Amino acid sequence: MTGTTLDDYTDRYARRVRGMTASEIRALFAVASRPEVVSLAGGAPYIAALPLDAVGEMLGRLGSEHGVTTLQYGIGQGTLELRERICEVMALSGIDASCGASPEDVVVTVGGQQALDLVARLFLDPGDVVLAEGPTYVGALGVFQAAQAQVAHVPMDDEGLIPEALEVAIADLARAGRRVKFLYTIPTYQNPTGVTLSEERRERVLDICERAGLLVVEDDPYGQLGFEGEAPAPLRARRRDGVFYLSTFSKTFAPGLRVGWILAPHAVRDKLVIASEAQILCPSGYAQAAVATYLSTMPWREQLKVYREVYRERRDAMLTALEDLMPAGTTWTTPAGGLFVWANLPDGLDAKAMMPRAIAARVAYVPGTGFYADGTGTGNMRLNFSFPSPERIREGVRRLAGVMEQDIAMRRVFGTVTPAGRRRQGGADAPGPDLA
């Protein structure tokens, strides 16, 4: 080895590693976690809303009284007790025995992220195409990239994924001879936009995928965090065949426990378990026991209501601050649940280029580029409202608005350059596949 690069192992890596890049969100964490910075960047739940004394006592008992089992190896699929509790949780959203939901078809995972990775391992070959909303969850993009698949983004508007654009994308890719394996979608309180797929469109999207022979991977971390009435029934509550339902306790209980799950078609269940055992052998027995005990002994349905009230207040604080403080030309979504607002910047502003100036002004957000496989989205940003207090949210928006005003003033003097990768929420882009 001659040591001519910063990484002397470059020539030895597998081909699938070559395209790996760091998540833009993870790269922000070190800066955004500084106390002087108002972080609107993350997606952390407000854990302080939990009854932490009671949770702490519960966790202590799991070690002192039940450590012989909770600290031992377990089975790859996850404990039956937890899988039964998961079915109770899903039933709140309409996914119950009447639509084929059973503990036998639940696979416990290390958070929702491993659930995504398992589906990718089972179904994606190098060069395959995944259809996904544009924009979409940055963690999913990383999984698909690691699987050497390509992502074709399908445009959204204020009612979610546009069915006509999905049909165009499928047809265009078929004509190009590309193999599309599945649609990945976050239909309820989507990350990063906060938009919810409308009732009418849910049926149309399922019909389109069924006709095209596409699997549907439904990611639903936020569905029980609605602020304005009940969310539409999940896709999995409508169709049992060909729909994989993924969720997690990271947003409704504790992300540090890293417990999620997949509800899969029965025929696929065993392969998911085998793939999971190859990765992790078995999910943490202690973490599973913690979640199962929490669901069995504590008023978790009431806790969901607490979270909804906390997040509604913070959502309203963000929307009010945006309305009061943002420069003209800025628009944003109005989420009915979840953790995020998606903002469209005034013409000429570049969210990624603006980041260093925002950090200098002690405010953090996530540029829209992190949510597109092709790196576009420079004219957008994701803003989180779940973690900061309402007062901190308003202060963060004030600082951010000041940075934007400075950039607008500079462009008045030096000229405006519209970013090539600009995206606007609301269907402004021509429908069709955007392959990266």
Side-chain angles (χ1 to χ4, degrees), residues 258-329:
R258 311 304 304 132
V259 177
W261 74 91
I262 306 174
L263 176 64
H266 186 74
V268 184
R269 188 269 321 272
D270 286 345
K271 289 184 174 60
L272 284 168
V273 173
I274 293 168
S276 182
E277 288 173 341
Q279 280 186 324
I280 62 167
L281 192 60
C282 63
S284 163
Y286 183 83
Q288 290 182 82
V291 175
T293 305
Y294 173 75
L295 296 172
S296 300
T297 64
M298 293 195 179
W300 59 273
R301 292 174 181 83
E302 294 303 313
Q303 184 60 43
L304 285 176
K305 295 177 183 178
V306 171
Y307 274 131
R308 290 172 189 145
E309 289 300 320
V310 169
Y311 295 156
R312 178 190 291 114
E313 179 188 24
R314 294 175 183 213
R315 188 254 343 233
D316 291 347
M318 174 162 282
L319 294 178
T320 299
L322 292 170
E323 184 67 35
D324 291 346
L325 301 170
M326 276 288 151

Side-chain angles (χ1 to χ4, degrees), residues 15-266:
R15 284 191 293 273
R16 63 180 172 273
V17 176
R18 294 175 185 172
M20 287 185 178
T21 56
S23 160
E24 295 197 22
I25 297 176
R26 293 289 170 187
L28 283 170
F29 276 3
V31 173
S33 62
R34 286 163 24 195
E36 71 272 17
V37 174
V38 178
S39 178
L40 308 176
Y46 186 60
I47 295 298
L50 285 170
L52 292 177
D53 289 347
V55 170
E57 290 177 10
M58 177 195 78
L59 295 175
R61 289 194 302 272
L62 288 177
S64 62
E65 299 176 15
H66 306 285
V68 171
T69 54
T70 61
L71 302 179
Q72 185 57 273
Y73 288 116
I75 63 173
Q77 187 175 356
T79 66
L80 177 59
E81 181 186 8
L82 178 57
R83 288 184 278 123
E84 289 174 341
R85 300 290 83 74
I86 285 171
C87 285
E88 293 175 5
V89 171
M90 290 191 295
L92 285 184
S93 302
I95 304 174
D96 55 23
S98 68
C99 59
S102 164
E104 292 303 308
D105 294 330
V106 172
V107 178
V108 177
T109 60
V110 181
Q113 193 69 16
Q114 193 209 5
L116 271 172
D117 191 68
L118 290 175
V119 172
R121 284 172 182 266
L122 258 59
F123 290 102
L124 294 179
D125 289 315
D128 283 345
V129 178
V130 175
L131 290 168
E133 295 139 343
T136 193
Y137 169 50
V138 63
L141 293 177
V143 166
F144 303 148
Q145 181 187 67
Q148 297 178 275
Q150 293 183 300
V151 174
H153 286 299
V154 181
M156 303 172 65
D157 62 17
D158 291 338
E159 292 185 59
L161 187 76
I162 302 172
E164 295 82 2
L166 177 61
E167 289 184 298
V168 169
I170 292 170
D172 286 351
L173 289 162
R175 280 193 297 270
R178 304 303 302 276
R179 184 168 61 170
V180 183
K181 285 294 184 67
F182 56 77
L183 169 69
Y184 169 72
T185 178
I186 311 169
T188 307
Y189 315 136
Q190 198 241 15
N191 179 1
T193 65
V195 168
T196 296
L197 185 65
S198 66
E199 183 76 37
E200 182 264 342
R201 286 189 181 182
R202 291 179 182 236
E203 293 295 335
R204 291 173 63 193
V205 166
L206 285 168
D207 288 342
I208 290 167
C209 290
E210 186 173 314
R211 289 196 300 269
L214 289 185
L215 301 174
V216 176
V217 178
E218 178 180 18
D219 199 355
D220 189 25
Y222 314 102
Q224 294 181 345
L225 295 176
F227 315 142
E228 298 170 4
E230 295 297 320
L235 304 181
R236 180 56 182 79
R238 302 159 191 266
R239 309 277 172 95
R240 70 170 70 183
D241 295 328
V243 180
F244 290 74
Y245 181 82
L246 283 53
S247 193
T248 177
F249 291 103
S250 291
K251 308 304 181 186
T252 56
F253 180 28
L257 291 172
R258 311 304 304 132
V259 177
W261 74 91
I262 306 174
L263 176 64
H266 186 74

